[in-house]
Amino acid sequence: MAARNVRLTNLLVATLIGLAGSGSALAIFPNGGFEQGDFSSWTIGGGSNQGLLGATPFTSASISITPGGPGPTALIGTLTDPNAPTLVLPRLGSVTAQLNNAAGGSLVTTLKQVDTVTSADVDSSDGLPHIRFSFAPVLEDPNHTPNEQPYFYVALRRVSDNSLLFEQFAYSGQAGVNFLTAPTGWKYLPFQDVDVSLPANAVGEQIELTVIAADCSLSGHGGYVYVDGFGSQALPPAGGGQGSGVPQEVPSLSPLGLLGLIAGVLGLTAILRRKAA
Ligand SMILES: [Ca+2]
């Protein structure tokens, strides 16, 4: 019996050492491309959309979700989405995750993961850790008041001080956001390829990723977000370009992209100031 316990202990120690060793060499966000065929390593949450609080411009503090069963999720293979017909799906690999769906019900689906930045996330081109991913919101536009519209939210935060590294947030049809309009009348964005460069001292720090996709708060209209490719590796361009024939700007130059970039730069500047102080 004692010998068996020793063997078990040795096995456990060896396993822990193995996990620790492999963990330090793995890039951030396991199953970041959903290629395990499920949502393992991710936390799915949500509830009911009570409408955004306060007045425009909305911030993350405007988000009000009544806890309850999460909205739907799905893994999408090859698909032409009539609500976003220029998107080429899947975005990367064999599946792309879909958070929430076209049906209403005032549902909200949230996707979260906390993981640690490691040296494996450092980009050789600039010596800095990077977080990269791609997302495309697809929102019905019932022309409710802004706080009642379907919306999406994407954010990256440093856990140690809750500082914002990246954020994008818009309700359907929001002025200044370059939404495309599908023949179905839905509003959507081409895949937004995000590349957030972190300060060098972010290695060893935990980063929390959050994506939220919300139906309208009056329950009759849907909204969802496609997400893929979470990690530190550069993403190949989206298939089908950026919607040939559809007048639009390059995503990285769109007001929404710029807002995100500004938010990211402000976040990094704040961190750098704090570190310098
Ligand atoms: Ca994928």
Side-chain angles (χ1 to χ4, degrees):
M1 197 62 183
R4 183 166 174 269
N5 283 342
V6 168
R7 279 201 303 275
L8 281 174
T9 304
N10 286 344
L11 181 64
L12 184 63
V13 168
T15 303
L16 288 174
I17 289 171
L19 284 174
S22 62
S24 63
L26 287 175
I28 198 162
F29 298 134
N31 196 28
F34 310 95
E35 297 301 312
Q36 289 184 30
D38 56 25
F39 284 88
S40 55
S41 299
W42 294 96
T43 300
I44 301 294
S48 177
N49 178 15
Q50 296 305 294
L52 295 166
L53 304 174
T56 59
F58 298 119
T59 70
S60 59
S62 311
I63 294 171
S64 175
I65 302 170
T66 299
T73 58
L75 295 176
I76 304 297
T78 302
L79 175 75
T80 300
D81 183 342
N83 296 323
T86 61
L87 297 185
V88 176
L89 294 162
R91 170 68 181 87
L92 292 156
S94 60
V95 290
T96 288
Q98 180 188 12
L99 311 175
N100 214 335
N101 66 19
S106 303
L107 294 174
V108 181
T109 304
T110 66
L111 177 80
K112 283 181 186 278
Q113 188 174 152
V114 175
D115 199 17
T116 303
V117 179
T118 71
S119 57
D121 302 309
V122 173
D123 202 306
S124 58
S125 66
D126 59 8
L128 297 173
H130 282 245
I131 305 284
R132 294 176 167 107
F133 57 96
S134 189
F135 75 96
V138 185
L139 307 170
E140 199 165 3
D141 184 6
N143 203 24
H144 296 328
T145 58
N147 64 307
E148 297 167 339
Q149 289 278 77
Y151 69 84
F152 76 91
Y153 178 80
V154 182
L156 265 180
R157 287 180 183 276
R158 185 137 122 161
V159 171
S160 61
D161 59 4
N162 206 35
S163 60
L164 198 56
L165 301 168
F166 173 86
E167 185 179 56
Q168 284 197 348
F169 184 15
Y171 59 86
S172 184
Q174 181 173 321
V177 179
N178 283 352
F179 281 112
L180 306 178
T181 303
T184 58
W186 283 56
K187 301 284 167 56
Y188 70 104
L189 292 176
F191 271 107
Q192 309 287 296
D193 289 349
V194 177
D195 179 356
V196 183
S197 62
L198 309 179
N201 65 13
V203 172
E205 294 257 346
Q206 285 191 312
I207 302 290
E208 182 185 60
L209 173 94
T210 303
V211 184
I212 303 175
D215 295 336
C216 85
S217 64
L218 302 183
S219 89
H221 306 91
Y224 49 95
V225 181
Y226 292 116
V227 289
D228 210 347
F230 294 101
S232 48
Q233 296 303 304
L235 307 178
Q242 295 302 322
S244 55
V246 181
Q248 61 190 295
E249 294 181 27
V250 175
S252 60
L253 296 179
S254 71
L256 186 67
L258 279 177
L259 276 177
L261 182 64
I262 290 166
V265 168
L266 288 176
L268 292 183
T269 306
I271 289 167
L272 291 173
R273 281 212 192 101
R274 213 165 290 141
K275 290 293 169 191

PDB file of all heavy atoms in Angstrom, residues 32-35 90-97 227-229, ligand 1:
ATOM      1  N   GLY A  32      -7.888  28.527 -28.344  1.00  0.00           N
ATOM      2  CA  GLY A  32      -8.238  29.875 -28.799  1.00  0.00           C
ATOM      3  C   GLY A  32      -8.894  29.912 -30.168  1.00  0.00           C
ATOM      4  O   GLY A  32      -9.501  30.910 -30.538  1.00  0.00           O
ATOM      5  N   GLY A  33      -8.742  28.821 -30.919  1.00  0.00           N
ATOM      6  CA  GLY A  33      -9.375  28.749 -32.236  1.00  0.00           C
ATOM      7  C   GLY A  33     -10.563  27.799 -32.263  1.00  0.00           C
ATOM      8  O   GLY A  33     -11.120  27.535 -33.322  1.00  0.00           O
ATOM      9  N   PHE A  34     -10.912  27.243 -31.086  1.00  0.00           N
ATOM     10  CA  PHE A  34     -12.065  26.342 -30.931  1.00  0.00           C
ATOM     11  C   PHE A  34     -11.914  25.064 -31.762  1.00  0.00           C
ATOM     12  O   PHE A  34     -12.891  24.391 -32.070  1.00  0.00           O
ATOM     13  CB  PHE A  34     -13.378  27.072 -31.285  1.00  0.00           C
ATOM     14  CG  PHE A  34     -13.501  28.391 -30.567  1.00  0.00           C
ATOM     15  CD1 PHE A  34     -13.111  29.573 -31.182  1.00  0.00           C
ATOM     16  CD2 PHE A  34     -13.941  28.429 -29.256  1.00  0.00           C
ATOM     17  CE1 PHE A  34     -13.180  30.784 -30.505  1.00  0.00           C
ATOM     18  CE2 PHE A  34     -14.020  29.649 -28.567  1.00  0.00           C
ATOM     19  CZ  PHE A  34     -13.638  30.826 -29.207  1.00  0.00           C
ATOM     20  N   GLU A  35     -10.642  24.747 -32.081  1.00  0.00           N
ATOM     21  CA  GLU A  35     -10.398  23.580 -32.930  1.00  0.00           C
ATOM     22  C   GLU A  35     -10.487  22.279 -32.149  1.00  0.00           C
ATOM     23  O   GLU A  35     -10.428  21.197 -32.745  1.00  0.00           O
ATOM     24  CB  GLU A  35      -9.050  23.717 -33.644  1.00  0.00           C
ATOM     25  CG  GLU A  35      -8.974  24.901 -34.599  1.00  0.00           C
ATOM     26  CD  GLU A  35     -10.034  24.842 -35.697  1.00  0.00           C
ATOM     27  OE1 GLU A  35     -10.181  23.778 -36.329  1.00  0.00           O
ATOM     28  OE2 GLU A  35     -10.724  25.865 -35.922  1.00  0.00           O
ATOM     29  N   PRO A  90     -15.518  29.070 -42.108  1.00  0.00           N
ATOM     30  CA  PRO A  90     -14.961  29.573 -40.847  1.00  0.00           C
ATOM     31  C   PRO A  90     -13.829  30.571 -41.088  1.00  0.00           C
ATOM     32  O   PRO A  90     -13.192  30.542 -42.133  1.00  0.00           O
ATOM     33  CB  PRO A  90     -14.440  28.301 -40.174  1.00  0.00           C
ATOM     34  CG  PRO A  90     -14.092  27.393 -41.315  1.00  0.00           C
ATOM     35  CD  PRO A  90     -15.116  27.684 -42.383  1.00  0.00           C
ATOM     36  N   ARG A  91     -13.570  31.422 -40.100  1.00  0.00           N
ATOM     37  CA  ARG A  91     -12.510  32.427 -40.239  1.00  0.00           C
ATOM     38  C   ARG A  91     -11.134  31.757 -40.230  1.00  0.00           C
ATOM     39  O   ARG A  91     -10.247  32.158 -40.970  1.00  0.00           O
ATOM     40  CB  ARG A  91     -12.641  33.452 -39.089  1.00  0.00           C
ATOM     41  CG  ARG A  91     -11.479  34.430 -38.930  1.00  0.00           C
ATOM     42  CD  ARG A  91     -11.387  35.399 -40.091  1.00  0.00           C
ATOM     43  NE  ARG A  91     -10.261  36.297 -39.944  1.00  0.00           N
ATOM     44  CZ  ARG A  91      -9.020  36.007 -40.372  1.00  0.00           C
ATOM     45  NH1 ARG A  91      -8.767  34.849 -40.956  1.00  0.00           N
ATOM     46  NH2 ARG A  91      -8.051  36.876 -40.222  1.00  0.00           N
ATOM     47  N   LEU A  92     -10.920  30.788 -39.338  1.00  0.00           N
ATOM     48  CA  LEU A  92      -9.623  30.097 -39.236  1.00  0.00           C
ATOM     49  C   LEU A  92      -9.857  28.641 -38.865  1.00  0.00           C
ATOM     50  O   LEU A  92     -10.712  28.350 -38.024  1.00  0.00           O
ATOM     51  CB  LEU A  92      -8.748  30.739 -38.142  1.00  0.00           C
ATOM     52  CG  LEU A  92      -8.228  32.159 -38.412  1.00  0.00           C
ATOM     53  CD1 LEU A  92      -7.920  32.869 -37.105  1.00  0.00           C
ATOM     54  CD2 LEU A  92      -6.983  32.089 -39.285  1.00  0.00           C
ATOM     55  N   GLY A  93      -9.096  27.749 -39.458  1.00  0.00           N
ATOM     56  CA  GLY A  93      -9.224  26.339 -39.122  1.00  0.00           C
ATOM     57  C   GLY A  93     -10.535  25.777 -39.631  1.00  0.00           C
ATOM     58  O   GLY A  93     -11.039  26.182 -40.674  1.00  0.00           O
ATOM     59  N   SER A  94     -11.110  24.855 -38.858  1.00  0.00           N
ATOM     60  CA  SER A  94     -12.310  24.172 -39.341  1.00  0.00           C
ATOM     61  C   SER A  94     -13.595  24.727 -38.749  1.00  0.00           C
ATOM     62  O   SER A  94     -14.669  24.471 -39.280  1.00  0.00           O
ATOM     63  CB  SER A  94     -12.217  22.674 -39.021  1.00  0.00           C
ATOM     64  OG  SER A  94     -12.113  22.483 -37.631  1.00  0.00           O
ATOM     65  N   VAL A  95     -13.497  25.485 -37.651  1.00  0.00           N
ATOM     66  CA  VAL A  95     -14.700  26.079 -37.057  1.00  0.00           C
ATOM     67  C   VAL A  95     -14.400  27.466 -36.486  1.00  0.00           C
ATOM     68  O   VAL A  95     -13.276  27.763 -36.094  1.00  0.00           O
ATOM     69  CB  VAL A  95     -15.300  25.210 -35.917  1.00  0.00           C
ATOM     70  CG1 VAL A  95     -15.905  23.933 -36.453  1.00  0.00           C
ATOM     71  CG2 VAL A  95     -14.272  24.935 -34.840  1.00  0.00           C
ATOM     72  N   THR A  96     -15.446  28.267 -36.457  1.00  0.00           N
ATOM     73  CA  THR A  96     -15.421  29.586 -35.806  1.00  0.00           C
ATOM     74  C   THR A  96     -16.536  29.585 -34.773  1.00  0.00           C
ATOM     75  O   THR A  96     -17.620  29.043 -35.026  1.00  0.00           O
ATOM     76  CB  THR A  96     -15.651  30.691 -36.861  1.00  0.00           C
ATOM     77  OG1 THR A  96     -14.487  30.800 -37.677  1.00  0.00           O
ATOM     78  CG2 THR A  96     -15.943  32.049 -36.220  1.00  0.00           C
ATOM     79  N   ALA A  97     -16.298  30.186 -33.625  1.00  0.00           N
ATOM     80  CA  ALA A  97     -17.332  30.214 -32.586  1.00  0.00           C
ATOM     81  C   ALA A  97     -18.341  31.315 -32.877  1.00  0.00           C
ATOM     82  O   ALA A  97     -17.990  32.412 -33.302  1.00  0.00           O
ATOM     83  CB  ALA A  97     -16.700  30.434 -31.218  1.00  0.00           C
ATOM     84  N   VAL A 227     -16.202  34.766 -33.384  1.00  0.00           N
ATOM     85  CA  VAL A 227     -14.850  34.978 -32.844  1.00  0.00           C
ATOM     86  C   VAL A 227     -13.971  33.786 -33.196  1.00  0.00           C
ATOM     87  O   VAL A 227     -14.433  32.641 -33.247  1.00  0.00           O
ATOM     88  CB  VAL A 227     -14.862  35.168 -31.306  1.00  0.00           C
ATOM     89  CG1 VAL A 227     -15.462  36.502 -30.917  1.00  0.00           C
ATOM     90  CG2 VAL A 227     -15.601  34.032 -30.611  1.00  0.00           C
ATOM     91  N   ASP A 228     -12.673  34.069 -33.393  1.00  0.00           N
ATOM     92  CA  ASP A 228     -11.740  32.995 -33.743  1.00  0.00           C
ATOM     93  C   ASP A 228     -10.300  33.496 -33.564  1.00  0.00           C
ATOM     94  O   ASP A 228     -10.051  34.699 -33.470  1.00  0.00           O
ATOM     95  CB  ASP A 228     -11.961  32.566 -35.207  1.00  0.00           C
ATOM     96  CG  ASP A 228     -11.628  31.091 -35.444  1.00  0.00           C
ATOM     97  OD1 ASP A 228     -10.993  30.456 -34.567  1.00  0.00           O
ATOM     98  OD2 ASP A 228     -12.007  30.568 -36.509  1.00  0.00           O
ATOM     99  N   GLY A 229      -9.388  32.534 -33.485  1.00  0.00           N
ATOM    100  CA  GLY A 229      -7.965  32.829 -33.564  1.00  0.00           C
ATOM    101  C   GLY A 229      -7.357  33.509 -32.351  1.00  0.00           C
ATOM    102  O   GLY A 229      -6.350  34.197 -32.482  1.00  0.00           O
TER     103      GLY A 229
HETATM  104 CA    CA B   1     -11.126  28.196 -35.603  1.00  0.00          CA
END
